[in-house]
Structure formats: structure tokens, C-alpha cells
Amino acid sequence: MERAAAFLLELAPRARQMFEYLLRNPGRAVHCTELADKALGWSKEGDIARRVAGVLEGMSKADSNSGRRLPFYWWEAPEGSTGATYAVRPSVAAVFLATQLGQ
């Protein structure tokens, strides 16, 4: 759990908001437009997929310092669609949620 705590502490604020939204929805695929709307309160104007990807760059320091892969999965949009989909495994979410409760 120490690595999980260190990862959380190093997240940029918006990246943390998005990651916490994924943690509250474990095992469910979440499209970038939902993350923008529900986690960040953004309107659906502009290139949402690019904006969400930019926020996730705020995880790069935490990711590189942890020595592990990012604690979520992502899938590119199918051809003809836009925006990635993201998900956190329930077991991974449990570790991070337990870490948050212990802080």
C-alpha cells in the first residue's frame, strides 16, 4: 500500500480527480466524455479526448516514480469514433481505496 500512497500523492490535481472517479467505478469501462463531465465538470465543447489525455499526462511523474505500469487500462476508440475508454480492475481499486481510508 505504500506504493499506492506514493502514487496518489504525486498525482496532479485533475489527474487525481479522474483517477478517483475510476476508483469509484471499478470494473466499469468509462468513456473520456464521462470522465470530462462527471469527474471534472467540463462542458462537452472542444476536443474532449485530447483534453482528457492531457490531464492523464499528470500521472506521468507518479507512474515513473512507482516503477510500475499505470493502475488502469485504456482502450483507443474504434475506427470512426473518438475518445478513449478507461477502467480500473476492482482488485486495484480496493487497494487504492483502502490506502485513501488509511491516510
Side-chain angles (χ1 to χ4, degrees):
M1 282 203 226
E2 287 179 36
R3 285 186 187 189
F7 181 85
L8 290 170
L9 289 173
E10 292 184 0
L11 290 177
R14 285 189 174 160
R16 185 174 180 129
Q17 285 177 281
M18 288 177 44
F19 185 56
E20 287 176 345
Y21 185 81
L22 291 172
L23 293 177
R24 290 190 306 271
N25 293 278
R28 188 168 75 78
V30 179
H31 191 262
C32 66
T33 54
E34 181 179 342
L35 284 173
D37 179 38
K38 303 289 187 188
L40 299 170
W42 290 349
S43 67
K44 294 186 175 162
E45 297 175 14
D47 188 349
I48 294 295
R50 189 174 303 268
R51 291 173 65 195
V52 167
V55 169
L56 292 175
E57 285 296 313
M59 292 186 179
S60 60
K61 179 181 176 188
D63 178 43
S64 64
N65 287 347
S66 74
R68 303 183 84 140
R69 66 177 297 284
L70 287 169
F72 60 88
Y73 293 96
W74 68 276
W75 298 270
E76 291 182 37
E79 192 171 328
S81 299
T82 60
T85 302
Y86 303 86
V88 173
R89 288 179 32 213
S91 60
V92 172
V95 169
F96 279 94
L97 292 170
T99 298
Q100 287 180 320
L101 289 173
Q103 290 181 346

